Amino acid sequence: CKNLTEMILPESVTRIETQVFLGCTTLKSVTIPDSLVEMGSAVFGNAPALTDVRISPDHPVYEMIGSLLVDKQNMEIVSALPGTPSVCEIPEGIRSIGPMAFQVCAGLWKVTVPEGVTRIGWNAFSNCVCLHEITLPASLEEIGDRAFEDCAEDLLIKAPAGSRAEQYARENGYRFEALPADGAD
């Protein structure tokens, strides 16, 4: 779909599959109907021109929080738009980061994940080639396979000492820095 610039999904659409707009390099705008109740992972993966996702504030399942598409029932980030700021603070209240949610966010440099997030899905930040630093909370219980695959070679994981994030960093050869006991930088 190299020439697709706008997609208005009709009200009859209830589900869209994983990576449905993957590689739609000229896609600028998507309108999501209220009928859409199920969405696969990385729906907007590698769609660098996408800047406008239109969704009703009354949508029963999804909402946009800045550049993040969020499943508001599960408080899970489903997908990040390419325009996600290079320094990204995940909003308070988010409980999980879905599979492939930030995949190929090439400009992402630093991420702070708040306390309360318990899961990061597989390939969540894969191919974020500029991601140099991520701060993870003590609440994190699960980090999926290849969550940080093909990020910057010097990726630094900051988290509380003894946390699941520290264990993950050590097991996977990432640099690690323990946060002070109060969680402050």
Side-chain angles (χ1 to χ4, degrees):
C1 300
K2 298 216 185 286
N3 295 320
L4 181 65
T5 59
E6 180 180 20
M7 174 59 74
I8 299 172
L9 297 169
E11 281 296 327
S12 59
V13 174
T14 59
R15 172 185 167 86
I16 55 177
E17 297 294 327
T18 295
Q19 298 179 331
V20 72
F21 297 111
L22 179 70
C24 293
T25 56
T26 58
L27 182 64
K28 294 178 183 177
S29 174
V30 175
T31 300
I32 296 175
D34 284 353
S35 61
L36 186 71
V37 294
E38 190 175 348
M39 193 177 306
S41 303
V43 171
F44 305 120
N46 199 21
L50 185 61
T51 56
D52 183 26
V53 175
R54 296 181 188 136
I55 189 164
S56 163
D58 299 324
H59 195 283
V61 180
Y62 299 104
E63 68 180 331
M64 290 300 298
I65 300 177
S67 63
L68 305 175
L69 178 64
V70 175
D71 174 333
K72 60 186 178 183
Q73 295 174 342
N74 299 312
M75 291 310 292
E76 177 176 87
I77 296 174
V78 176
S79 196
L81 296 184
T84 299
S86 61
V87 176
C88 178
E89 292 195 23
I90 304 296
E92 295 289 330
I94 295 295
R95 293 192 298 259
S96 66
I97 298 171
M100 301 187 285
F102 286 85
Q103 187 178 41
V104 194
C105 281
L108 199 59
W109 186 82
K110 179 180 179 181
V111 176
T112 302
V113 179
E115 196 60 46
V117 171
T118 60
R119 184 178 68 85
I120 294 177
W122 52 273
N123 279 9
F125 293 92
S126 66
N127 294 301
C128 292
V129 296
C130 293
L131 183 58
H132 288 274
E133 181 180 309
I134 188 161
T135 302
L136 300 173
S139 59
L140 191 60
E141 299 169 0
E142 179 185 342
I143 302 173
D145 290 340
R146 301 176 309 280
F148 304 105
E149 183 174 66
D150 295 326
C151 290
E153 287 183 23
D154 65 343
L155 178 64
L156 172 64
I157 294 177
K158 296 169 126 183
S163 65
R164 172 67 183 109
E166 178 181 14
Q167 178 187 2
Y168 180 88
R170 305 253 187 249
E171 289 172 353
N172 291 279
Y174 294 110
R175 294 183 313 132
F176 177 78
E177 181 181 310
L179 294 173
D182 66 359
D185 275 329

